Amino acid sequence: MAIKNKERYRIFLIVLSLLMIFGLTLGCDNNGNNPAESGTPNIAVDPNPVQFGDVIVGTSQQRIVTVRNVGTGSLVIYSIANAVGSIFYIDNDVCTGMTVPQNGTCYITVRFTPIAVTTYCSIRDYFLITSNDPDENTVRVNFCGRGI
């Protein structure tokens, strides 16, 4: 019985998918680390806290937060999440899902748009970065600014 071209292609895709899944499973542990790689990742965030200073109500200011791997192993950034109700917003996040090599960096742009004349520097004004850093797997980045 001869296999038709469509069936060959279907079999090829199934085998390719299995190889990709199998290869990715063998290449990393449950924390996203490559077991063959030596070293330990270490996250550093600058600045923290992020100071916006005085901003006119209804206008916006942006700040760039640098995430750096100061460790000796690859740093995997799993997620970056704003606190619910924060007046500070993540404008651009190129870090989530990224593997940051030793001495490497990635950047997050944060926006502050005050809606009233007041100081914004409360317990809800932050975001969280989760990673595979063994001693700081969640880092809190705080924000402060004042609407004028």
Side-chain angles (χ1 to χ4, degrees), residues 9-27:
Y9 183 70
R10 189 171 146 268
I11 291 169
F12 170 76
L13 289 177
I14 291 169
V15 170
L16 181 62
S17 297
L18 289 172
L19 286 173
M20 289 175 65
I21 292 168
F22 186 66
L24 290 174
T25 302
L26 287 178

PDB file of all heavy atoms in Angstrom, residues 9-27:
ATOM      1  N   TYR A   9       3.115  14.161   4.290  1.00  0.00           N
ATOM      2  CA  TYR A   9       3.260  15.488   4.873  1.00  0.00           C
ATOM      3  C   TYR A   9       2.683  15.514   6.289  1.00  0.00           C
ATOM      4  O   TYR A   9       3.286  16.067   7.208  1.00  0.00           O
ATOM      5  CB  TYR A   9       2.562  16.529   3.988  1.00  0.00           C
ATOM      6  CG  TYR A   9       2.718  17.942   4.476  1.00  0.00           C
ATOM      7  CD1 TYR A   9       3.959  18.579   4.408  1.00  0.00           C
ATOM      8  CD2 TYR A   9       1.647  18.644   5.008  1.00  0.00           C
ATOM      9  CE1 TYR A   9       4.123  19.873   4.859  1.00  0.00           C
ATOM     10  CE2 TYR A   9       1.803  19.932   5.466  1.00  0.00           C
ATOM     11  CZ  TYR A   9       3.043  20.544   5.389  1.00  0.00           C
ATOM     12  OH  TYR A   9       3.197  21.823   5.840  1.00  0.00           O
ATOM     13  N   ARG A  10       1.533  14.886   6.486  1.00  0.00           N
ATOM     14  CA  ARG A  10       0.907  14.822   7.797  1.00  0.00           C
ATOM     15  C   ARG A  10       1.808  14.072   8.784  1.00  0.00           C
ATOM     16  O   ARG A  10       2.022  14.511   9.916  1.00  0.00           O
ATOM     17  CB  ARG A  10      -0.460  14.138   7.682  1.00  0.00           C
ATOM     18  CG  ARG A  10      -1.274  14.200   8.917  1.00  0.00           C
ATOM     19  CD  ARG A  10      -2.700  13.679   8.635  1.00  0.00           C
ATOM     20  NE  ARG A  10      -3.191  13.006   9.801  1.00  0.00           N
ATOM     21  CZ  ARG A  10      -3.080  11.713  10.061  1.00  0.00           C
ATOM     22  NH1 ARG A  10      -2.540  10.902   9.184  1.00  0.00           N
ATOM     23  NH2 ARG A  10      -3.543  11.204  11.169  1.00  0.00           N
ATOM     24  N   ILE A  11       2.361  12.968   8.365  1.00  0.00           N
ATOM     25  CA  ILE A  11       3.268  12.187   9.213  1.00  0.00           C
ATOM     26  C   ILE A  11       4.514  13.002   9.536  1.00  0.00           C
ATOM     27  O   ILE A  11       4.984  13.030  10.669  1.00  0.00           O
ATOM     28  CB  ILE A  11       3.629  10.839   8.541  1.00  0.00           C
ATOM     29  CG1 ILE A  11       2.385   9.936   8.508  1.00  0.00           C
ATOM     30  CG2 ILE A  11       4.777  10.146   9.277  1.00  0.00           C
ATOM     31  CD1 ILE A  11       2.550   8.704   7.652  1.00  0.00           C
ATOM     32  N   PHE A  12       5.045  13.696   8.540  1.00  0.00           N
ATOM     33  CA  PHE A  12       6.214  14.552   8.733  1.00  0.00           C
ATOM     34  C   PHE A  12       5.934  15.611   9.802  1.00  0.00           C
ATOM     35  O   PHE A  12       6.750  15.849  10.701  1.00  0.00           O
ATOM     36  CB  PHE A  12       6.614  15.210   7.404  1.00  0.00           C
ATOM     37  CG  PHE A  12       7.638  16.288   7.554  1.00  0.00           C
ATOM     38  CD1 PHE A  12       8.975  15.970   7.769  1.00  0.00           C
ATOM     39  CD2 PHE A  12       7.282  17.630   7.496  1.00  0.00           C
ATOM     40  CE1 PHE A  12       9.929  16.970   7.919  1.00  0.00           C
ATOM     41  CE2 PHE A  12       8.225  18.628   7.649  1.00  0.00           C
ATOM     42  CZ  PHE A  12       9.552  18.294   7.848  1.00  0.00           C
ATOM     43  N   LEU A  13       4.760  16.273   9.732  1.00  0.00           N
ATOM     44  CA  LEU A  13       4.420  17.307  10.706  1.00  0.00           C
ATOM     45  C   LEU A  13       4.272  16.732  12.111  1.00  0.00           C
ATOM     46  O   LEU A  13       4.719  17.344  13.093  1.00  0.00           O
ATOM     47  CB  LEU A  13       3.131  18.030  10.296  1.00  0.00           C
ATOM     48  CG  LEU A  13       3.245  18.943   9.083  1.00  0.00           C
ATOM     49  CD1 LEU A  13       1.890  19.544   8.742  1.00  0.00           C
ATOM     50  CD2 LEU A  13       4.267  20.037   9.314  1.00  0.00           C
ATOM     51  N   ILE A  14       3.689  15.554  12.214  1.00  0.00           N
ATOM     52  CA  ILE A  14       3.531  14.920  13.525  1.00  0.00           C
ATOM     53  C   ILE A  14       4.894  14.581  14.113  1.00  0.00           C
ATOM     54  O   ILE A  14       5.186  14.872  15.275  1.00  0.00           O
ATOM     55  CB  ILE A  14       2.639  13.663  13.422  1.00  0.00           C
ATOM     56  CG1 ILE A  14       1.193  14.083  13.115  1.00  0.00           C
ATOM     57  CG2 ILE A  14       2.707  12.835  14.706  1.00  0.00           C
ATOM     58  CD1 ILE A  14       0.289  12.931  12.743  1.00  0.00           C
ATOM     59  N   VAL A  15       5.763  13.992  13.312  1.00  0.00           N
ATOM     60  CA  VAL A  15       7.102  13.624  13.781  1.00  0.00           C
ATOM     61  C   VAL A  15       7.894  14.875  14.150  1.00  0.00           C
ATOM     62  O   VAL A  15       8.552  14.921  15.199  1.00  0.00           O
ATOM     63  CB  VAL A  15       7.843  12.775  12.718  1.00  0.00           C
ATOM     64  CG1 VAL A  15       9.305  12.606  13.075  1.00  0.00           C
ATOM     65  CG2 VAL A  15       7.161  11.427  12.548  1.00  0.00           C
ATOM     66  N   LEU A  16       7.819  15.907  13.322  1.00  0.00           N
ATOM     67  CA  LEU A  16       8.516  17.160  13.602  1.00  0.00           C
ATOM     68  C   LEU A  16       8.031  17.774  14.914  1.00  0.00           C
ATOM     69  O   LEU A  16       8.828  18.210  15.745  1.00  0.00           O
ATOM     70  CB  LEU A  16       8.335  18.146  12.448  1.00  0.00           C
ATOM     71  CG  LEU A  16       9.032  19.495  12.587  1.00  0.00           C
ATOM     72  CD1 LEU A  16      10.543  19.306  12.657  1.00  0.00           C
ATOM     73  CD2 LEU A  16       8.665  20.395  11.429  1.00  0.00           C
ATOM     74  N   SER A  17       6.721  17.785  15.126  1.00  0.00           N
ATOM     75  CA  SER A  17       6.159  18.322  16.371  1.00  0.00           C
ATOM     76  C   SER A  17       6.654  17.538  17.574  1.00  0.00           C
ATOM     77  O   SER A  17       7.023  18.110  18.597  1.00  0.00           O
ATOM     78  CB  SER A  17       4.629  18.283  16.328  1.00  0.00           C
ATOM     79  OG  SER A  17       4.158  19.110  15.300  1.00  0.00           O
ATOM     80  N   LEU A  18       6.665  16.222  17.477  1.00  0.00           N
ATOM     81  CA  LEU A  18       7.135  15.392  18.578  1.00  0.00           C
ATOM     82  C   LEU A  18       8.617  15.631  18.857  1.00  0.00           C
ATOM     83  O   LEU A  18       9.035  15.692  20.022  1.00  0.00           O
ATOM     84  CB  LEU A  18       6.878  13.914  18.290  1.00  0.00           C
ATOM     85  CG  LEU A  18       5.405  13.489  18.335  1.00  0.00           C
ATOM     86  CD1 LEU A  18       5.254  12.061  17.845  1.00  0.00           C
ATOM     87  CD2 LEU A  18       4.845  13.651  19.730  1.00  0.00           C
ATOM     88  N   LEU A  19       9.400  15.781  17.814  1.00  0.00           N
ATOM     89  CA  LEU A  19      10.826  16.047  18.002  1.00  0.00           C
ATOM     90  C   LEU A  19      11.054  17.388  18.687  1.00  0.00           C
ATOM     91  O   LEU A  19      11.909  17.516  19.562  1.00  0.00           O
ATOM     92  CB  LEU A  19      11.570  16.001  16.666  1.00  0.00           C
ATOM     93  CG  LEU A  19      11.785  14.615  16.072  1.00  0.00           C
ATOM     94  CD1 LEU A  19      12.377  14.735  14.678  1.00  0.00           C
ATOM     95  CD2 LEU A  19      12.687  13.783  16.963  1.00  0.00           C
ATOM     96  N   MET A  20      10.279  18.403  18.296  1.00  0.00           N
ATOM     97  CA  MET A  20      10.424  19.719  18.905  1.00  0.00           C
ATOM     98  C   MET A  20      10.035  19.673  20.382  1.00  0.00           C
ATOM     99  O   MET A  20      10.741  20.192  21.241  1.00  0.00           O
ATOM    100  CB  MET A  20       9.574  20.746  18.164  1.00  0.00           C
ATOM    101  CG  MET A  20      10.116  21.084  16.786  1.00  0.00           C
ATOM    102  SD  MET A  20       9.059  22.187  15.860  1.00  0.00           S
ATOM    103  CE  MET A  20       9.156  23.652  16.848  1.00  0.00           C
ATOM    104  N   ILE A  21       8.925  19.017  20.687  1.00  0.00           N
ATOM    105  CA  ILE A  21       8.495  18.908  22.079  1.00  0.00           C
ATOM    106  C   ILE A  21       9.517  18.118  22.880  1.00  0.00           C
ATOM    107  O   ILE A  21       9.929  18.512  23.966  1.00  0.00           O
ATOM    108  CB  ILE A  21       7.099  18.256  22.169  1.00  0.00           C
ATOM    109  CG1 ILE A  21       6.051  19.211  21.586  1.00  0.00           C
ATOM    110  CG2 ILE A  21       6.759  17.891  23.616  1.00  0.00           C
ATOM    111  CD1 ILE A  21       4.704  18.567  21.356  1.00  0.00           C
ATOM    112  N   PHE A  22       9.957  16.998  22.345  1.00  0.00           N
ATOM    113  CA  PHE A  22      10.919  16.145  23.031  1.00  0.00           C
ATOM    114  C   PHE A  22      12.236  16.881  23.244  1.00  0.00           C
ATOM    115  O   PHE A  22      12.813  16.853  24.319  1.00  0.00           O
ATOM    116  CB  PHE A  22      11.135  14.865  22.220  1.00  0.00           C
ATOM    117  CG  PHE A  22      12.009  13.857  22.904  1.00  0.00           C
ATOM    118  CD1 PHE A  22      11.601  13.229  24.061  1.00  0.00           C
ATOM    119  CD2 PHE A  22      13.255  13.542  22.385  1.00  0.00           C
ATOM    120  CE1 PHE A  22      12.412  12.299  24.689  1.00  0.00           C
ATOM    121  CE2 PHE A  22      14.073  12.621  23.000  1.00  0.00           C
ATOM    122  CZ  PHE A  22      13.641  11.993  24.160  1.00  0.00           C
ATOM    123  N   GLY A  23      12.693  17.601  22.223  1.00  0.00           N
ATOM    124  CA  GLY A  23      13.953  18.337  22.326  1.00  0.00           C
ATOM    125  C   GLY A  23      13.880  19.446  23.349  1.00  0.00           C
ATOM    126  O   GLY A  23      14.793  19.642  24.149  1.00  0.00           O
ATOM    127  N   LEU A  24      12.767  20.197  23.392  1.00  0.00           N
ATOM    128  CA  LEU A  24      12.627  21.267  24.377  1.00  0.00           C
ATOM    129  C   LEU A  24      12.532  20.706  25.786  1.00  0.00           C
ATOM    130  O   LEU A  24      13.061  21.275  26.722  1.00  0.00           O
ATOM    131  CB  LEU A  24      11.386  22.107  24.051  1.00  0.00           C
ATOM    132  CG  LEU A  24      11.494  22.972  22.801  1.00  0.00           C
ATOM    133  CD1 LEU A  24      10.162  23.638  22.511  1.00  0.00           C
ATOM    134  CD2 LEU A  24      12.581  24.003  22.938  1.00  0.00           C
ATOM    135  N   THR A  25      11.876  19.570  25.936  1.00  0.00           N
ATOM    136  CA  THR A  25      11.760  18.954  27.251  1.00  0.00           C
ATOM    137  C   THR A  25      13.115  18.494  27.754  1.00  0.00           C
ATOM    138  O   THR A  25      13.444  18.655  28.922  1.00  0.00           O
ATOM    139  CB  THR A  25      10.787  17.752  27.194  1.00  0.00           C
ATOM    140  OG1 THR A  25       9.531  18.225  26.718  1.00  0.00           O
ATOM    141  CG2 THR A  25      10.608  17.123  28.562  1.00  0.00           C
ATOM    142  N   LEU A  26      13.939  17.942  26.882  1.00  0.00           N
ATOM    143  CA  LEU A  26      15.260  17.491  27.292  1.00  0.00           C
ATOM    144  C   LEU A  26      16.202  18.651  27.573  1.00  0.00           C
ATOM    145  O   LEU A  26      17.091  18.546  28.395  1.00  0.00           O
ATOM    146  CB  LEU A  26      15.877  16.603  26.207  1.00  0.00           C
ATOM    147  CG  LEU A  26      15.286  15.213  26.062  1.00  0.00           C
ATOM    148  CD1 LEU A  26      15.977  14.489  24.912  1.00  0.00           C
ATOM    149  CD2 LEU A  26      15.420  14.429  27.348  1.00  0.00           C
ATOM    150  N   GLY A  27      15.990  19.796  26.897  1.00  0.00           N
ATOM    151  CA  GLY A  27      16.917  20.907  27.007  1.00  0.00           C
ATOM    152  C   GLY A  27      16.784  21.752  28.254  1.00  0.00           C
ATOM    153  O   GLY A  27      17.714  22.436  28.636  1.00  0.00           O
TER     154      GLY A  27
END
